Amino acid sequence: MEQNGFRDSSVSEISALNCIDLSDPDVRKSVTLLKQACLDCGFFYVVNHGISQEFMDEVFSLSKRFFDLPIEEKMKVLRNEKHRGYTPVLDELLDPENQVHGDYKEGYYIGVEVSEDDSQAEKPFYGPNLWPAEDLLPGWRLTMEKYHQEALGVAKSVARIIALALDLDGDFFDKPEMLDEPIAILRLLHYEGVRQIKGRISNPTKGIFGAGAHSDYGLITLLASDDVMGLQICRDKDAQPQIWEYVAPLKGAFVVNLGDMLERWSNGIFRSTLHRVIVNGEERYSIAYFVEPSHECLVECLPSCKSDTNPPKFPPVKCATYLSQRYNDTHTDLSVYRKHHD
């Protein structure tokens, strides 16, 4: 059904996702659960990952303190061409076919810290991060850098199980061209409540979303969120109508999903699933950690995922090229902000 030119789609119950326990010594069990999840919907929970609840609470608290700042302060660290810093509400448009505006969320990008005088800083997603002033938010930078490092450790543990599920060596993704020099991007997210956005509660039939429908771009994403429901997944993007299921927040767990690069590597066997965020008037905070291989990594069909009867479905692509294109396609041109400033 279409209303006002936008697809209406059904929302079913809460999705039942597999849960991977990283402290479980039975790796084969984890591999089986993960493989089933990757074939089924590309989403699963990860628990006992080693990041303490106290530290997670601290990261969320500091994230909220940043987003509570006046807009003038936040715009002082507006994102740059390296995708570091603050992204205002409506900056990102993930589903132009079905959204009348951009996403009703604000965010903050933190990447791998590389100093300006380092030759690596010439690469698209490397360079110095932007940070709020220390006197404004004491300890903010230190906490976020620590979280960035700890989340990368979790991502590497998950990647080892994924490698085994693809019949590869467990250390396949640990190579220098992959997660040894990753493009790992931490993104703090704030979906505004009804107090800030009167009349902007998500309404798919009117093209209003917290985050439009999209698949993630890279290898895997680790998502931590508060207890406000909002994330939805669509297992079959080609279904008419599309069926959307809520993913319930699970205290202390990451929701992990696969990105487009893993779908390309696995020749479509593992799925990079369409997902979106619907906001109902409650404020919602989440922390996404996007894990991609190195800039130079060539993403091409794995030998274990192709055969004479199942040839590669995607052409090889360099990681930095693919990511740059996807980010440019979905974010507002920075010149728009410069015009407003002038």
Side-chain angles (χ1 to χ4, degrees):
M1 175 180 132
E2 294 214 354
Q3 185 176 333
N4 302 332
F6 296 99
R7 281 201 313 269
D8 189 11
S9 46
S10 307
V11 176
S12 67
E13 298 302 310
I14 294 171
S15 183
L17 299 183
N18 282 356
C19 191
I20 315 297
D21 184 342
L22 289 187
S23 67
D24 191 337
D26 187 351
V27 177
R28 282 183 300 179
K29 178 184 169 188
S30 297
V31 169
T32 300
L33 285 169
L34 181 141
K35 190 169 188 174
Q36 185 184 38
C38 293
L39 293 168
D40 178 36
C41 67
F43 274 75
F44 51 91
Y45 295 113
V46 164
V47 296
N48 294 324
H49 43 67
I51 301 180
S52 73
Q53 189 60 52
E54 292 76 19
F55 184 54
M56 292 294 299
D57 292 344
E58 182 186 350
V59 176
F60 271 96
S61 172
L62 287 177
S63 171
K64 184 178 188 305
R65 285 183 62 192
F66 173 79
F67 290 122
D68 281 347
L69 292 172
I71 187 64
E72 299 78 27
E73 287 294 339
K74 291 185 281 194
M75 290 300 281
K76 287 178 183 176
V77 282
L78 177 69
R79 71 172 169 87
N80 57 24
E81 68 284 347
K82 298 274 190 175
H83 295 283
R84 306 297 175 90
Y86 175 63
T87 55
V89 175
L90 305 184
D91 179 80
E92 198 170 6
L93 180 62
L94 290 166
D95 184 13
E97 283 185 25
N98 291 294
Q99 285 180 270
V100 286
H101 304 295
D103 293 355
Y104 280 93
K105 69 175 191 291
E106 54 182 346
Y108 200 99
Y109 282 121
I110 301 165
V112 176
E113 183 72 30
V114 177
S115 64
E116 267 181 11
D117 55 7
D118 189 317
S119 61
Q120 294 269 68
E122 295 171 15
K123 295 177 177 177
F125 293 91
Y126 274 6
N129 281 299
L130 298 178
W131 301 106
E134 179 66 20
D135 58 349
L136 197 64
L137 294 172
W140 201 87
R141 173 179 178 170
L142 203 64
T143 299
M144 296 306 167
E145 287 185 325
K146 181 185 175 191
Y147 183 80
H148 197 290
Q149 282 301 112
E150 292 201 10
L152 182 59
V154 177
K156 286 182 174 180
S157 297
V158 173
R160 288 184 193 111
I161 302 172
I162 289 173
L164 294 171
L166 286 167
D167 299 321
L168 303 164
D169 291 337
D171 61 358
F172 178 82
F173 292 110
D174 289 337
K175 297 170 187 168
E177 70 273 18
M178 297 217 189
L179 297 186
D180 199 38
E181 290 184 359
I183 304 172
I185 300 170
L186 169 60
R187 194 177 191 196
L188 311 174
L189 293 163
H190 172 223
Y191 297 88
E192 298 189 326
V194 78
R195 176 170 58 88
Q196 298 102 326
I197 53 165
K198 288 186 176 66
R200 292 303 186 190
I201 292 172
S202 294
N203 186 337
T205 63
K206 292 184 177 176
I208 298 170
F209 298 88
H214 65 287
S215 57
D216 288 349
Y217 314 150
L219 179 62
I220 55 171
T221 303
L222 309 182
L223 181 75
S225 72
D226 60 16
D227 57 3
V228 176
M229 198 91 85
L231 176 64
Q232 296 180 341
I233 64 172
C234 175
R235 293 172 188 251
D236 181 1
K237 62 176 184 250
D238 298 320
Q240 292 294 336
Q242 290 177 335
I243 305 296
W244 291 89
E245 305 168 33
Y246 277 104
V247 172
L250 185 62
K251 186 78 171 173
F254 283 114
V255 174
V256 181
N257 66 281
L258 312 183
D260 297 340
M261 287 184 196
L262 194 51
E263 184 169 293
R264 295 172 83 100
W265 258 316
S266 70
N267 209 20
I269 295 169
F270 283 4
R271 299 172 55 192
S272 176
T273 297
L274 209 58
H275 53 286
R276 67 187 187 186
V277 174
I278 299 294
V279 286
N280 64 0
E282 282 186 273
E283 277 190 283
R284 180 175 181 269
Y285 293 88
S286 63
I287 299 169
Y289 189 74
F290 302 104
V291 184
E292 346 284 17
S294 76
H295 286 78
E296 304 306 320
C297 183
L298 190 68
V299 180
E300 57 184 336
C301 184
L302 296 165
S304 59
C305 298
K306 62 183 177 183
S307 65
D308 291 343
T309 54
N310 185 28
K313 296 178 175 67
F314 306 95
V317 65
K318 200 162 76 167
C319 177
T321 307
Y322 184 75
L323 280 182
S324 295
Q325 186 62 56
R326 292 295 299 271
Y327 272 80
N328 291 341
D329 286 346
T330 53
H331 286 74
T332 298
D333 192 294
L334 286 169
S335 62
V336 170
Y337 298 112
R338 286 193 280 271
K339 280 178 199 161
H340 282 235
H341 194 66
D342 296 342

